[in-house]
C-alpha cells in the first residue's frame, strides 16, 4: 500500500509540473509577447519568430503611414538587392506569396523614403505610432537650401525618422527637392541630448553622409503579401546609392574669403559669370545626354570650393573627365549644341585636351585624366613648340554638389585636389596665371614628335 501511494504521489507531481509548464508557455505567448511585441504569429512559409517580427513591424508601419496618407517607397539596399534578382517575377505576380522571402531577411532596419513636399509633418502620426506600440526618434538639422552668402542661419528641417517596435526598426529618410532638379537627403547627426543607444545607428545605410539622387520612377508591387512602392529599376537605384555622397558648398568659408577679398561686382565680372553659368549648363546637359561622367576641375573647382561662385577673372569653364569615359561623340555633340571646337591637343592614349568656344571670349576646357598605380594626371600641350606638360594629382573619388543651380561632381577629396594644383596658398587670389609654370603639380613631359603634330596639335 505504501508503494502504491508513492507512485500516485509521483504521478500527481509530474502531472502538476507539466500543467504548470504548459500554463507558463501559454501565458508567455498570449500575454507577455503581445505586451512587449517580441513574438508575433508566423507568416506563410513557416518563418522563425525573429523573422516574423520583421514582417509584422513592416506591416504595422505601412498601416500607420497609410492611415495618414503618407506616400513612402522602399529604398532598403538589402531588400532591393533581393528584389532585383526576382524583379520580372515580382512585376508579373498577382497571387499570394508562398513564403516570406524578402521582408524576413535578417537585418536591424528596413529603410523607406519620403518626399518632403508630399507630407505636412502631422503631429497625429506620432500619436498614432505610440498607440500602436512604436517608439520614435526625429533627427533635424539646418535646411541647406536656405544657406547663402547673406544668411548662414537656415531653419531646421526633419531629415530622418526612426520608428522602433520590438527588435526591429524602420528608418524613414526624408528627401528634399533641390534647385538642380534632383533629390537630396541630409546627414544623420545626433544632437547631444539624443539617445545614442536607441538603435545601432552605425548599421544604418543612409545618413552617414548627405546624398543626392535622381527622382526615381516608382512601381507598386506586392512583396511578401504587402503592397509597397519600389524604384522601378532597383539595380539603377542601388548603383546610384553607391555613388551618392554629397558635399555642400562652404558658405561660411566663402563669406570669410570675401571679407578679405571683396567680390568683383564690375559689369565685366557680372557679364562673365552670366556667360560662364550658361556655358556650364549647356556643357552639363550635353555630357549628361552622352552618359559621360565629369567633374568641376581647375579654376572652376577652385571657385566652387573657395567662394561658392565662378571666379570672374578665370575667363573659362574647366571640366575633368576620366579617359576611360571618353566617347568619340563628345566633339560632334558639342558642335551640334552650338559650341565650335577651338582646339584639340594630344590623343586618346596620351594627354588629350579639348577646348570649345562659348559665347564671346568664354571657352570650355575639358581635360582628360589618366590613372596610374599611385596617382592621376592630365596633360597639357604648347602649340607653338610641341612641348608636353603633365599635372599630377593624388587619387580621388567623386562626390555630388550643387553649383550655379546644377547637380555636378567634384572630387570628394577637394582640398587635396586644390592644393595639388594651386599649392598651400590657394586661398589667395592670383590674377596672373601661367598654365606651364604656375601650377604646383606641373611637370615637363617631353615634346611631341614633329610627324605627329598634325594629329596632336589641332587649332581651329
Amino acid at each position: 500500500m505504501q508503494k502504491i501511494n508513492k507512485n500516485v504521489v509521483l504521478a500527481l507531481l509530474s502531472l502538476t509540473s507539466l500543467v504548470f509548464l504548459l500554463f507558463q508557455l501559454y501565458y508567455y505567448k498570449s500575454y507577455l509577447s503581445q505586451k512587449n511585441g517580441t513574438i508575433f504569429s508566423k507568416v506563410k512559409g513557416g518563418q522563425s519568430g525573429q523573422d516574423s517580427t520583421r514582417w509584422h513591424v513592416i506591416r504595422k508601419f505601412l498601416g500607420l503611414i497609410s492611415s495618414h496618407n503618407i506616400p513612402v517607397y522602399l529604398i532598403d539596399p538589402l531588400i532591393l538587392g533581393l528584389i532585383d534578382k526576382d524583379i520580372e517575377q515580382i512585376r508579373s505576380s498577382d497571387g499570394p506569396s508562398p513564403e516570406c522571402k524578402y521582408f524576413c531577411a535578417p537585418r536591424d532596419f528596413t529603410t523607406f523614403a519620403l518626399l518632403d513636399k508630399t507630407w505636412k509633418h502631422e503631429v497625429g502620426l506620432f500619436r498614432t505610432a505610440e498607440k500602436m506600440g512604436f517608439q520614435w526618434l526625429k533627427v533635424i538639422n539646418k535646411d541647406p537650401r536656405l544657406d547663402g552668402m547673406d544668411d548662414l542661419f537656415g531653419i531646421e528641417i526633419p531629415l530622418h525618422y526612426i520608428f522602433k517596435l520590438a527588435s526591429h526598426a524602420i528608418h524613414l529618410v526624408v528627401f528634399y527637392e533641390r534647385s538642380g532638379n534632383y533629390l537630396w537627403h541630409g546627414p544623420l547627426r545626433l544632437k547631444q541630448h539624443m539617445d545614442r543607444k536607441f538603435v545601432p545607428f552605425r548599421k544604418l545605410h543612409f545618413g552617414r553622409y548627405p546624398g543626392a539622387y535622381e527622382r526615381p520612377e516608382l512601381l507598386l508591387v506586392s512583396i511578401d503579401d504587402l503592397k509597397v512602392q519600389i524604384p522601378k529599376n532597383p539595380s539603377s537605384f542601388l548603383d546610384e546609392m553607391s555613388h551618392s555622397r554629397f558635399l555642400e558648398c562652404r558658405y561660411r568659408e566663402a563669406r570669410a574669403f570675401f571679407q578679405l577679398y571683396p567680390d568683383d561686382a564690375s559689369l565685366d565680372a557680372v557679364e562673365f559669370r552670366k556667360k560662364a553659368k550658361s556655358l556650364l549648363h549647356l556643357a552639363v546637359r550635353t555630357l549628361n545626354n552622352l552618359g559621360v561622367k565629369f567633374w568641376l576641375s581647375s579654376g572652376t573647382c577652385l571657385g566652387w570650393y573657395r567662394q561658392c561662385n565662378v571666379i570672374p577673372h578665370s575667363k573659362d569653364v574647366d571640366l575633368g573627365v576620366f579617359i576611360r569615359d571618353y566617347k568619340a561623340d563628345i566633339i560632334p555633340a558639342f558642335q551640334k549644341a552650338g559650341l565650335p571646337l577651338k582646339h584639340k591637343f594630344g590623343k586618346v592614349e596620351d594627354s588629350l585636351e579639348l577646348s570649345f568656344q562659348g559665347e564671346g571670349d568664354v571657352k570650355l576646357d575639358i581635360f582628360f585624366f589618366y590613372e596610374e598605380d599611385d596617382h592621376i594626371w592630365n596633360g597639357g600641350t604648347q602649340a607653338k613648340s610641341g612641348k608636353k606638360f603633365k599635372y599630377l594629382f593624388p587619387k580621388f573619388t567623386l562626390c555630388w554638389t550643387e553649383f550655379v543651380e546644377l547637380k555636378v561632381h567634384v572630387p570628394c577629396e577637394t582640398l587635396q585636389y586644390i592644393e595639388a594644383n594651386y599649392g598651400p596658398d590657394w586661398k589667395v587670389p592670383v590674377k596672373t596665371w601661367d598654365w606651364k609654370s604656375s601650377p604646383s603639380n606641373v611637370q615637363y613631359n617631353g615634346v611631341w614628335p614633329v610627324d605627329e603634330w598634325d594629329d596632336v596639335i589641332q587649332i581651329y
Side-chain angles (χ1 to χ4, degrees):
M1 186 71 180
Q2 185 177 3
K3 186 175 181 180
I4 296 175
N5 287 339
K6 287 182 179 180
N7 289 336
V8 171
V9 170
L10 183 61
L12 288 172
L13 287 173
S14 299
L15 181 61
T16 302
S17 298
L18 179 60
V19 170
F20 182 71
L21 178 61
L22 291 173
F23 173 76
Q24 284 183 311
L25 291 173
Y26 175 80
Y27 177 79
Y28 179 76
K29 182 176 181 181
S30 301
Y31 177 71
L32 288 180
S33 65
Q34 293 178 11
K35 180 180 180 181
N36 299 324
T38 53
I39 298 178
F40 295 87
S41 61
K42 296 180 182 179
V43 273
K44 294 180 179 180
Q47 300 295 324
S48 69
Q50 180 61 42
D51 295 342
S52 174
T53 297
R54 300 185 190 101
W55 185 89
H56 277 276
V57 171
I58 295 167
R59 180 179 62 82
K60 292 190 77 170
F61 172 75
L62 292 175
L64 168 67
I65 59 98
S66 176
S67 67
H68 288 266
N69 298 314
I70 303 172
V72 301
Y73 56 97
L74 182 72
I75 57 171
D76 192 278
L78 188 147
I79 301 177
L80 286 182
L82 297 173
I83 289 173
D84 187 53
K85 297 176 182 178
D86 305 327
I87 188 62
E88 295 303 326
Q89 177 183 344
I90 290 173
R91 285 173 177 169
S92 59
S93 176
D94 293 324
S97 174
E99 61 176 331
C100 183
K101 183 177 180 181
Y102 307 100
F103 286 136
C104 291
R107 66 200 182 283
D108 295 287
F109 299 90
T110 301
T111 310
F112 289 86
L114 163 71
L115 185 58
D116 169 69
K117 73 174 187 178
T118 63
W119 186 41
K120 297 180 181 179
H121 312 306
E122 298 176 32
V123 176
L125 172 71
F126 304 111
R127 292 175 181 166
T128 307
E130 290 172 357
K131 290 179 181 178
M132 294 175 68
F134 283 103
Q135 294 176 277
W136 57 272
L137 182 72
K138 178 169 70 170
V139 177
I140 62 176
N141 215 322
K142 289 182 180 180
D143 188 344
R145 299 171 299 176
L146 302 179
D147 275 350
M149 298 304 298
D150 300 322
D151 184 9
L152 299 175
F153 304 99
I155 63 171
E156 290 190 323
I157 55 174
L159 300 179
H160 299 264
Y161 295 98
I162 308 291
F163 295 87
K164 183 174 71 171
L165 179 63
S167 58
H168 196 63
I170 304 295
H171 180 199
L172 183 58
V173 183
V174 186
F175 280 85
Y176 291 84
E177 291 182 330
R178 297 283 292 249
S179 58
N181 194 29
Y182 63 96
L183 301 182
W184 168 91
H185 73 77
L188 200 160
R189 299 286 183 267
L190 298 181
K191 298 190 176 182
Q192 289 185 348
H193 67 277
M194 298 180 116
D195 182 5
R196 297 178 181 275
K197 296 182 180 180
F198 185 70
V199 290
F201 289 102
R202 292 189 177 185
K203 295 184 179 181
L204 286 171
H205 299 287
F206 290 81
R208 183 170 299 178
Y209 304 109
Y213 292 79
E214 295 299 311
R215 188 189 307 274
E217 186 178 354
L218 299 178
L219 178 69
L220 180 64
V221 295
S222 178
I223 304 293
D224 297 332
D225 295 338
L226 296 177
K227 292 289 185 180
V228 63
Q229 290 199 100
I230 64 171
K232 189 174 183 180
N233 191 332
S235 60
S236 294
F237 181 85
L238 292 171
D239 181 66
E240 196 175 4
M241 176 187 167
S242 64
H243 303 93
S244 64
R245 186 177 175 184
F246 184 91
L247 300 178
E248 288 291 350
C249 182
R250 308 179 324 138
Y251 283 111
R252 190 175 300 277
E253 291 80 359
R255 192 172 185 176
F257 171 81
F258 284 122
Q259 288 176 348
L260 289 174
Y261 308 100
D263 195 15
D264 186 352
S266 66
L267 184 61
D268 287 345
V270 171
E271 188 65 21
F272 170 74
R273 278 179 169 154
K274 180 181 178 182
K275 292 178 180 178
K277 178 180 176 179
S278 177
L279 179 59
L280 186 56
H281 275 248
L282 179 59
V284 168
R285 187 162 59 249
T286 303
L287 291 173
N288 283 347
N289 288 340
L290 291 173
V292 174
K293 184 182 291 187
F294 64 93
W295 65 91
L296 304 183
S297 189
S298 303
T300 306
C301 185
L302 176 62
W304 166 78
Y305 189 71
R306 187 176 68 187
Q307 54 213 70
C308 296
N309 208 336
V310 175
I311 300 174
H313 59 263
S314 61
K315 302 306 179 186
D316 55 19
V317 171
D318 304 308
L319 301 179
V321 175
F322 285 116
I323 195 63
R324 64 172 180 262
D325 295 322
Y326 170 79
K327 291 184 179 180
D329 296 339
I330 290 177
I331 293 176
F334 275 104
Q335 291 174 327
K336 185 178 180 180
L339 299 181
L341 185 63
K342 183 178 177 64
H343 71 243
K344 176 185 176 185
F345 294 153
K347 53 187 177 181
V348 174
E349 298 78 16
D350 182 11
S351 304
L352 183 63
E353 174 189 340
L354 301 176
S355 184
F356 298 91
Q357 186 62 56
E359 182 183 354
D361 58 350
V362 184
K363 63 187 178 74
L364 170 70
D365 292 329
I366 302 179
F367 303 103
F368 291 86
F369 284 68
Y370 299 76
E371 295 184 74
E372 305 291 350
D373 291 337
D374 59 351
H375 68 279
I376 297 173
W377 63 275
N378 73 286
T381 297
Q382 186 179 37
K384 64 181 181 181
S385 67
K387 290 181 179 179
K388 298 169 61 182
F389 298 87
K390 199 176 202 179
Y391 306 87
L392 275 60
F393 295 84
K395 289 206 165 187
F396 58 87
T397 53
L398 295 179
C399 286
W400 291 110
T401 192
E402 186 174 307
F403 186 59
V404 295
E405 300 170 5
L406 287 168
K407 176 193 172 198
V408 290
H409 276 123
V410 291
C412 298
E413 301 78 10
T414 320
L415 179 58
Q416 295 91 320
Y417 188 87
I418 295 294
E419 286 185 333
N421 214 180
Y422 297 98
D425 296 327
W426 57 270
K427 292 183 181 180
V428 180
V430 177
K431 294 188 177 181
T432 303
W433 185 263
D434 186 330
W435 63 270
K436 304 181 299 299
S437 59
S438 295
S440 300
N441 58 344
V442 66
Q443 292 183 359
Y444 178 67
N445 194 32
V447 182
W448 287 108
V450 176
D451 59 354
E452 293 187 24
W453 282 26
D454 288 344
D455 293 327
V456 299
I457 303 176
Q458 299 181 19
I459 301 176
Y460 300 89

